[in-house]
Amino acid sequence: MPQADLLLTDTNIRTLDPHRPEATALAIKDGHIAALGDTDTLTRDWTGPGTERLSLAGATVTPGFVDSHSHPVWGLQMSAGADLTGVQDLDALRAALRSAPRIDGWVIGWGLDHNAFGGRPVHHDLIEDVLDGAPAFLRLYDGHSALASTAALAAAQVTGPREFAQRAEIVCDAEGRPTGHLIEHAAMDVVDAVVPRLSYDKRRAGLVDLLKGMAATGLTGAHVMDGADLELLAAVEQDTDLPLRLTVAPWCMPGVDQDGLDELIALQRRRGRDWRVGAVKFFMDGTVEGGTAWLEQADCHGRGTDAFWPDPQAYSAAVRTLHAAGVRTATHAIGDAAVRHALDTIEALGASGRDAHRIEHIETVPDDTLPRFAALGVAASMQPPHTAYTKGDHSDEWSKRLGAERAGRAWRTRDLRDAGAVLALGSDWPIAHFDARRVLAMARVPEGAAGAGQGLSGLEALEGVTSHAAIASGEAHLGGRIEVGLRADLTVLGLDPVLAPADELAQAPVVLTTVGGRVTHRGE
């Protein structure tokens, strides 16, 4: 008689398998779903001396939640220092900096909302007098810009503008003096290079603690949209199991040559027990608030008409090279021009490009782009928590920059699903909190002005972190559904995420989380 390692019984199982959508029990053996059916039958046929049986009356079992866009490794340093996510205005920012702890003499902060400046230009003069001469490096919440103090600029020997291979800017005043506003990665990296770093031991311990926290919200996996630190992942797995299954997409940046592309192709072979390299990440633009989203018409400041790649055709050529080598791609594209160019690039690949590529963020797009996602087999990867940075009266920086028309076609999750697109959902941590329950709740009832009318049904939201996430990462044959033979990555909530009101779902008890049948979180 077969013997299950773990038997879940007396419960409501939403399989997301259209051929068998519901069950009351399932058996797990050797990390996979071994049987699915009713409680009496599975208890009789799959119970043995080594079986752990959990009766889950009142709970609902679903495929494991996956965050389709997260930065759990890179984000450890990105979220170091003072948490500024709650700062709403300049007075609050100054108060927070005045009391912020010094890290090797520096003031480091993260998550600062552009709206906190009240429409003022981002400038170090707004904060210098509360720093007592300390160097400061403050990351804005979009992850694509930062504010550096005078002392921080001096430490990095930044005295004026510089040219970069990608769209990036050290903002300077009319006299050529840096204002401290650093826009996009290359400009930020100049100062970030001299900012105190987390030690290896802190990063290693922090990664495990972070992933445990993610598992406690029901997450079983994440699509890691940065190069991560593969050696760190490998080192952690020498001592313990990762609490989440990670699929990593290293970055491909402007200026890459054939050797660089060959390295990215070779990286696709890297993997551990619960992590693997499974794609390459591109940037087609930056952010609306930073003025670097690539738009078909300029924003209210006359910015946004340039792509992140100075030569967009070089991006297209890099995608073609990777595609020919069988490598999946994910392209950050926020503005309408960026989304259109990414779609055009994938369309030019022909039929072989179908179901092999995805686009991230997609914050504002016109009607004619919507049906192209399904027609081309391009997955849309979106982050419902981003809508919280907008306001109902459109007074936020995102809405003001775009204007009413483009702000009115924001985060079109509902429209993309209606157009037949695969829609994977995530958080973009540390840009927004990683709590999977909050992602689901906000997918159904978006916050802020952006995303109004774009709410998903309970089932569609659940699909966004399960079956559609699996399709987006090319793993539909491995998971995303509860089906015999698939991986036993499971999330168990104390309520039904499809039927429960969104506000209750955001606080739902997480009863159990398993990765490959291994329990990574057990609720009290």
Side-chain angles (χ1 to χ4, degrees), residues 196-237:
R197 317 303 292 176
L198 291 175
S199 69
Y200 175 81
D201 288 342
K202 286 186 177 180
R203 290 176 62 236
R204 185 166 175 163
L207 175 62
V208 174
D209 288 344
L210 173 65
L211 296 182
K212 286 181 178 177
M214 291 179 168
T217 75
L219 284 169
T220 65
H223 301 164
V224 181
M225 289 294 158
D226 54 70
D229 182 339
L230 304 184
E231 304 311 320
L232 177 64
L233 296 178
V236 169
E237 280 199 328

Side-chain angles (χ1 to χ4, degrees), residues 481-495:
R481 307 178 311 283
I482 298 177
E483 182 181 319
V484 172
L486 298 188
R487 296 187 300 209
D489 294 358
L490 303 171
T491 301
V492 185
L493 299 183
L495 48 69

Side-chain angles (χ1 to χ4, degrees), residues 106 135 137 151-157 188-197:
W106 282 68
F137 185 73
L153 294 171
Q157 300 181 15
M188 294 165 63
D189 288 347
V190 173
V191 178
D192 193 28
V194 299
V195 173
R197 317 303 292 176

Side-chain angles (χ1 to χ4, degrees), residues 262-346:
D262 289 341
E263 290 178 9
L264 288 168
I265 293 168
L267 277 177
Q268 305 301 307
R269 297 192 292 268
R270 293 289 305 275
R271 64 185 59 237
R273 291 193 302 277
D274 287 311
W275 64 270
R276 71 180 182 94
V277 178
V280 166
K281 166 79 176 296
F282 286 89
F283 292 88
M284 202 63 250
D285 64 355
T287 68
V288 170
E289 297 90 337
T292 53
W294 187 17
L295 305 170
E296 294 180 335
Q297 300 294 328
D299 66 18
C300 71
H301 297 292
R303 297 175 61 93
T305 55
D306 295 314
F308 183 77
W309 285 62
D311 178 8
Q313 295 308 316
Y315 154 85
S316 301
V319 171
R320 287 195 300 272
T321 297
L322 293 173
H323 176 73
V327 178
R328 305 177 68 86
T329 71
T331 297
H332 168 122
I334 280 178
D336 43 18
V339 174
R340 191 179 302 280
H341 186 80
L343 289 170
D344 289 347
T345 297
I346 297 168

Side-chain angles (χ1 to χ4, degrees), residues 65-72 110 209-219 221-222 244 385 426-440 465:
F65 295 168
V66 173
D67 190 325
S68 295
H69 191 115
S70 185
H71 303 280
W110 65 281
D209 288 344
L210 173 65
L211 296 182
K212 286 181 178 177
M214 291 179 168
T217 75
L219 284 169
L244 263 66
S427 69
D428 201 11
W429 186 86
I431 309 306
H433 199 278
F434 55 71
D435 194 326
R437 299 165 299 177
R438 181 166 171 78
V439 171
L440 286 170
V465 298

Side-chain angles (χ1 to χ4, degrees), residues 384-388 437-448 455-456 502:
H386 286 190
T387 62
R437 299 165 299 177
R438 181 166 171 78
V439 171
L440 286 170
M442 294 185 70
R444 291 168 58 178
V445 185
E447 295 183 9
L456 303 176

Side-chain angles (χ1 to χ4, degrees), residues 122-126 128 146-162 164 169-183 187 190-191:
V122 178
H123 199 295
H124 54 60
D125 284 352
L126 300 172
E128 290 287 357
L147 173 59
S149 70
T150 301
L153 294 171
Q157 300 181 15
V158 176
T159 59
R162 297 189 186 183
F164 301 101
E169 181 182 5
I170 295 174
V171 179
C172 295
D173 63 18
E175 286 73 42
R177 297 171 300 195
T179 66
H181 192 191
L182 309 171
I183 300 178
V190 173
V191 178

